[in-house]
Amino acid sequence: MQDLIRKLLVDLGEDPSREGLLDTPKRVEKAYKFLTSGYHADIDRVLNNALFTVDYSEMVIVKDIDFYSLCEHHLLPFFGKCHVAYIPSTKVIGLSKIPRLVDVFARRLQVQERLTNQIADTIRDKIAPLGVAVVMEATHLCMSMRGVEKQNSFAVTSAMHGAFRTSSRTRMEFLELIKLRSAVPGLREAGGYACLADE
Ligand SMILES: [Zn+2]
């Protein structure tokens, strides 16, 4: 990877042998490996010993989880907050594991919509809850830094399964708790669009 970065620096019109850039290929490689470490993470290992059988069926919410990801169209960051809720049927996930789960999928090349779905689908598949909802709000630097004016650089995406999809009352309770009434399925317009990869 370091050779590629050196080549990139030359193509950008830089001199990779000047002092400030000497160690840049090494640093960039290290940074990219960390930012894409989710490819090598094992979900079952992340959740290991943190799935508990309980007699509890109230909504569990973890909100304002910070996340940082890379737009797969431009390799530029998008970042913001993730809110997760589920209604257990027989199992719960240890609360500290939810942000870890978000990181596993965020530390890959992503589009915000797929990232949102992967988090929701994984919770659904691992503990079969009565419902699961994930809402993500993010700023896309590929939009804001490049001055793309025709779309908003702030995007809201959501994925809802089970009770959050079938019951508007459950959905509204969740959205009220995260103070985001506009984020209902199919209503991405409320927060603009994520990167559309058109240029
Ligand atoms: Zn992009």
Side-chain angles (χ1 to χ4, degrees), residues 71 73-74 142 195:
C71 153
H73 305 130
H74 300 95
C142 65
C195 167

Side-chain angles (χ1 to χ4, degrees), residues 26-180:
K26 200 193 299 176
R27 290 190 208 98
V28 173
E29 178 180 46
K30 194 178 172 196
Y32 268 115
K33 280 189 170 164
F34 175 76
L35 296 175
T36 59
S37 57
Y39 286 118
H40 306 292
D42 179 344
I43 294 287
D44 289 318
R45 221 162 173 187
V46 168
L47 298 178
N48 190 28
N49 299 325
L51 302 181
F52 307 104
T53 302
V54 289
D55 185 16
Y56 181 80
S57 59
E58 296 298 317
M59 191 184 297
V60 176
I61 293 194
V62 184
K63 63 177 194 170
D64 295 327
I65 302 165
D66 289 314
F67 76 91
Y68 297 86
S69 190
L70 288 174
C71 153
E72 71 181 17
H73 305 130
H74 300 95
L75 304 188
L76 286 171
F78 67 96
F79 57 94
K81 302 277 187 193
C82 175
H83 315 289
V84 174
Y86 66 92
I87 303 170
S89 84
T90 56
K91 283 185 173 162
V92 295
I93 300 174
L95 286 182
S96 68
K97 298 293 183 178
I98 303 275
R100 296 278 312 277
L101 195 61
V102 172
D103 279 344
V104 165
F105 291 109
R107 287 177 188 159
R108 300 178 185 195
L109 305 186
Q110 280 287 10
V111 296
Q112 188 177 329
E113 293 83 351
R114 185 175 65 228
L115 173 57
T116 309
N117 283 327
Q118 285 175 332
I119 296 164
D121 291 353
T122 301
I123 295 171
R124 179 194 59 193
D125 296 345
K126 292 300 171 189
I127 59 168
L130 299 177
V132 56
V134 176
V135 169
M136 303 189 89
E137 315 168 71
T139 297
H140 290 248
L141 291 189
C142 65
M143 309 288 276
S144 48
M145 280 183 84
R146 297 187 308 138
V148 180
E149 283 166 18
K150 61 189 169 190
Q151 277 115 28
N152 197 331
S153 66
F154 184 76
V156 180
T157 49
S158 65
M160 310 259 174
H161 294 306
F164 290 92
R165 181 168 285 277
T166 56
S167 161
S168 59
R169 181 189 281 185
T170 302
R171 188 162 64 238
M172 290 315 289
E173 184 187 343
F174 167 57
L175 297 174
E176 180 65 29
L177 284 163
I178 64 168
K179 303 264 189 281
L180 204 89

Side-chain angles (χ1 to χ4, degrees), residues 1-18 21-22 24-25 28:
M1 200 187 296
Q2 294 183 33
D3 284 342
L4 289 171
I5 303 300
R6 246 172 249 118
K7 170 99 174 43
L8 176 65
L9 289 170
V10 172
D11 283 0
L12 292 174
E14 265 292 356
D15 170 12
S17 66
R18 73 175 172 85
L21 293 177
L22 267 184
T24 296
V28 173

